[in-house]
Amino acid sequence: MKKIIVILGCLVYSASIFAVTYTSTSSGALNTTTNWSGNNAPISLSIGDIIDIANNTTITNTTLNATPQSLTIYVESGSTLNFNSNTSMSFGKQIDIEVLSGGILNFNNANPSFGKQSSITIETGGQLNFNTGAIFGSQSDVTINNLGVCNVNGDLTMTSSIITVNGTLQVVGNLLNTGGSTVDGTGSVLVTGSISGGSTLTLSAPSNVLNAAIWTGTTSSAWNTAGNWSNGTVPTTSTDIAIPMVTSGKHYPIFNGQTINANVTILAGAEIDVTGSTAIGGKLAIESNAINGTGSVYLTGGTLTVSGSTSVQQYLTSGRYWYVSSPLVNGTFNTAGALTHVWNETDQAYASGSTTIPGHGFAVKTTTADPISFTGSPLNFSNVNYNLTYTAGLYSGFILVGNPYLAYLDWLSVYTANNSITSTVSYSVLGNFATYNANGGSVTNGASRYIPPMQAIWVHTPLATTLSLLNSYCVSRTSIAAINLKADVVDSSKTVRLKINNGKFADEHLLVVNNQAKDTLDPWDSEKRFAEVDSFPQIYTLMSKKKLTINAFKCADSVKTIPVY
């Protein structure tokens, strides 16, 4: 990523004539000329110079041979820049640092300070690590975008700074404010030490700022292993706990009989595994964002009791309807001005309102792209029996069923135990419908057999029946990738996937050849549900006058002609 910078003003312009761009071409030391384009290393820096760490290289130095100002540093995808100074590094004013997606910038033992009006941006997937603390000078502007991470191992000191956190800021130390600073955004700020600054520190999103022990899962899933915690110490029972999403190779914690007389927060995309009777004496909060989705609670044994309230978020974009459901036994849906509608199969129509009954879904449309939330207690882990109706009409037997658990629900297990329902379920993805057929595992438009927490789906029944949902049908989010490596489609199936695209939106149709299927309408087929947004193209075939999105038929020696609409 390159920037074109136009600088007005005679004095600044005359200085910038001598600015140079240094682009790395191979890994090694910062002051080695052969590691840079034109054999020109950034040893002596001028105002406005640019250091570009590119080409998947790793550049390491002891210290810059200057106190630069108006310096721009890019760390591109796949590349790493290490500052390994044994003394504090002092940058001048107007430093511009940008860590792009997949880039890593490490300040090792450097404890850097940045002069006033500096700008630091961590893009989605970028990572900035201060391993001995950092100081942001006056009027510094720091932005951490979704999935961007800034780790500070030590104290973070701010002076009249603005930090916008839409990803994660983790401070294993103290958050210190020496002048009017602001921390805002929709991401997570985790601080293990104290937060100081009094009235001059503005926390625009205080619910996202956690003064807590931070789980890392570096060693194992064991709660009492010191190496699994950010500060290398197992927290006391009275310490607030934060469980963030962990990276590949790390572990989520197992709750097996702990008593935590404090608050527990499960961040977006993270999970706890409950295997024994566990008590939380404070509040339980489960967060959600646009990238990682909602945190999850996977219970395989024992119980989870929460003395305080439980709040569960679900991030939604605005301007369209989403199908959601509550994971709480007794909960309140916080509408915040949202439009909500409940589907009534017996009336074949929607009615205004929402529902918090476990297993019952509803549609919601928000005015802003923010998390909605359910508040109450406890989380539902009980079996749910949902009486499905069948009423003659255009939408006979279509019921909006919600995942009643805060874990991924394996719909193949549900269908196997409830074979009175049809094999097809569908749900909306950005206005178009994704379909999963449990009788063979066929999918269209990115559907999955694993229903996410708080997701409601369309289920069809050909007769009035009772649908049984069990917590034992749930799976851990950590196991889904491994399970997906196994083929959901029966070996005897061959498929042809048809996809149409109008340049902006797309739709899919699946033709399945299987010896167990019939050449008439059968459980291998899935009826088409048409997009809720007119701009989506639609594709389907016909079988027994039914419009299908998955059309299965028996293998035949002769050529079949199948009209596509």
Side-chain angles (χ1 to χ4, degrees):
M1 179 178 181
K2 308 295 183 188
K3 287 185 178 178
I4 299 176
I5 304 174
V6 179
I7 305 175
L8 301 178
C10 294
L11 180 61
V12 176
Y13 178 76
S14 62
S16 66
I17 291 176
F18 303 102
V20 177
T21 297
Y22 303 88
T23 301
S24 64
T25 55
S26 58
S27 298
L30 182 139
N31 59 358
T32 300
T33 58
T34 54
N35 293 331
W36 301 89
S37 58
N39 290 330
N40 186 18
I43 298 173
S44 179
L45 294 166
S46 300
I47 293 176
D49 282 352
I50 298 172
I51 298 177
D52 185 10
I53 311 301
N55 305 305
N56 295 305
T57 57
T58 297
I59 298 295
T60 301
N61 90 312
T62 300
T63 183
L64 290 175
N65 296 335
T67 301
Q69 59 180 329
S70 299
L71 171 68
T72 298
I73 298 176
Y74 294 119
V75 184
E76 299 194 28
S77 178
S79 297
T80 300
L81 174 59
N82 297 308
F83 286 111
N84 291 337
S85 174
N86 291 321
T87 60
S88 296
M89 295 187 65
S90 177
F91 288 87
K93 64 182 180 180
Q94 297 176 341
I95 302 300
D96 184 2
I97 295 177
E98 188 165 353
V99 184
L100 305 183
S101 178
I104 300 175
L105 174 55
N106 295 315
F107 287 92
N108 302 313
N109 306 316
N111 191 26
S113 63
F114 299 90
K116 69 178 183 178
Q117 298 177 347
S118 292
S119 176
I120 299 175
T121 301
I122 307 172
E123 300 290 0
T124 298
Q127 185 168 323
L128 172 58
N129 300 310
F130 297 104
N131 291 324
T132 55
I135 300 173
F136 296 151
S138 175
Q139 302 174 42
S140 292
D141 188 352
V142 180
T143 301
I144 306 171
N145 289 321
N146 277 331
L147 283 185
V149 176
C150 179
N151 294 312
V152 183
N153 188 17
D155 294 342
L156 174 59
T157 303
M158 305 177 295
T159 301
S160 301
S161 303
I162 298 175
I163 302 180
T164 303
V165 184
N166 294 318
T168 300
L169 170 61
Q170 178 172 296
V171 181
V172 183
N174 302 311
L175 181 62
L176 307 174
N177 171 48
T178 60
S181 298
T182 298
V183 177
D184 62 11
T186 60
S188 299
V189 180
L190 310 177
V191 182
T192 61
S194 63
I195 300 175
S196 64
S199 60
T200 62
L201 176 61
T202 302
L203 302 178
S204 298
S207 63
N208 296 335
V209 180
L210 304 174
N211 197 185
I214 304 170
W215 172 268
T216 63
T218 302
T219 303
S220 65
S221 295
W223 185 269
N224 291 319
T225 298
N228 289 324
W229 298 94
S230 59
N231 59 359
T233 303
V234 178
T236 66
T237 59
S238 60
T239 302
D240 288 347
I241 304 297
I243 312 294
M245 185 175 179
V246 300
T247 56
S248 177
K250 296 185 179 180
H251 313 271
Y252 287 115
I254 292 178
F255 282 47
N256 185 19
Q258 289 91 338
T259 297
I260 303 169
N261 296 316
N263 302 315
V264 175
T265 301
I266 304 171
L267 277 67
E271 181 175 85
I272 63 171
D273 185 354
V274 180
T275 63
S277 297
T278 300
I280 297 174
K283 298 178 181 179
L284 174 63
I286 298 97
E287 297 185 352
S288 178
N289 65 27
I291 304 297
N292 300 324
T294 299
S296 54
V297 178
Y298 178 50
L299 184 143
T300 56
T303 59
L304 176 64
T305 59
V306 180
S307 299
S309 64
T310 298
S311 62
V312 185
Q313 293 182 344
Q314 175 62 62
Y315 183 91
L316 302 179
T317 56
S318 60
R320 53 151 297 205
Y321 280 98
W322 294 81
Y323 299 132
V324 301
S325 64
S326 172
L328 299 171
V329 176
N330 299 301
T332 300
F333 172 61
N334 302 310
T335 58
L339 298 175
T340 57
H341 298 277
V342 177
W343 172 254
N344 190 322
E345 193 276 341
T346 57
D347 295 335
Q348 303 275 295
Y350 281 105
S352 295
S354 60
T355 176
T356 56
I357 301 173
H360 292 235
F362 64 96
V364 58
K365 181 180 180 182
T366 61
T367 56
T368 58
D370 286 309
I372 61 169
S373 64
F374 294 88
T375 304
S377 64
L379 286 173
N380 180 65
F381 299 109
S382 301
N383 298 340
V384 171
N385 293 314
Y386 191 165
N387 293 324
L388 307 184
T389 59
Y390 183 89
T391 307
L394 182 62
Y395 303 106
S396 300
F398 281 101
I399 313 290
L400 196 55
V401 175
N403 179 355
Y405 309 108
L406 203 60
Y408 284 79
L409 183 64
D410 183 357
W411 198 258
L412 178 60
S413 296
V414 175
Y415 175 68
T416 302
N418 295 268
N419 54 21
S420 58
I421 61 174
T422 57
S423 56
T424 297
V425 296
S426 56
Y427 50 91
S428 182
V429 177
L430 300 177
N432 200 13
F433 275 97
T435 299
Y436 166 71
N437 190 317
N439 195 14
S442 300
V443 300
T444 63
N445 295 321
S448 171
R449 70 187 255 191
Y450 304 104
I451 311 303
M454 305 175 73
Q455 173 76 61
I457 58 176
W458 287 102
V459 176
H460 181 258
T461 177
L463 73 168
T465 187
T466 298
L467 176 68
S468 295
L469 304 174
L470 278 62
N471 180 71
S472 60
Y473 300 157
C474 292
V475 298
S476 168
R477 69 188 311 137
T478 60
S479 66
I480 291 176
I483 293 174
N484 280 339
L485 293 175
K486 300 176 182 177
D488 284 340
V489 180
V490 178
D491 291 341
S492 60
S493 295
K494 296 181 180 179
T495 61
V496 176
R497 190 175 301 275
L498 306 177
K499 187 171 184 177
I500 58 173
N501 192 310
N502 63 7
K504 186 176 182 180
F505 299 102
D507 191 30
E508 291 183 350
H509 181 82
L510 195 66
L511 297 172
V512 179
V513 180
N514 190 292
N515 287 329
Q516 300 179 54
K518 300 177 181 178
D519 288 339
T520 57
L521 199 65
D522 65 12
W524 295 89
D525 300 313
S526 296
E527 287 192 48
K528 174 73 174 178
R529 289 190 66 86
F530 286 86
E532 299 167 326
V533 179
D534 292 339
S535 50
F536 278 90
Q538 300 290 272
I539 182 173
Y540 63 91
T541 59
L542 290 174
M543 177 72 73
S544 303
K545 298 183 179 181
K546 294 286 188 180
K547 297 174 181 178
L548 303 180
T549 186
I550 299 175
N551 188 349
F553 47 88
K554 188 182 293 292
C555 182
D557 295 331
S558 58
V559 176
K560 282 187 177 291
T561 300
I562 303 174
V564 177
Y565 301 90

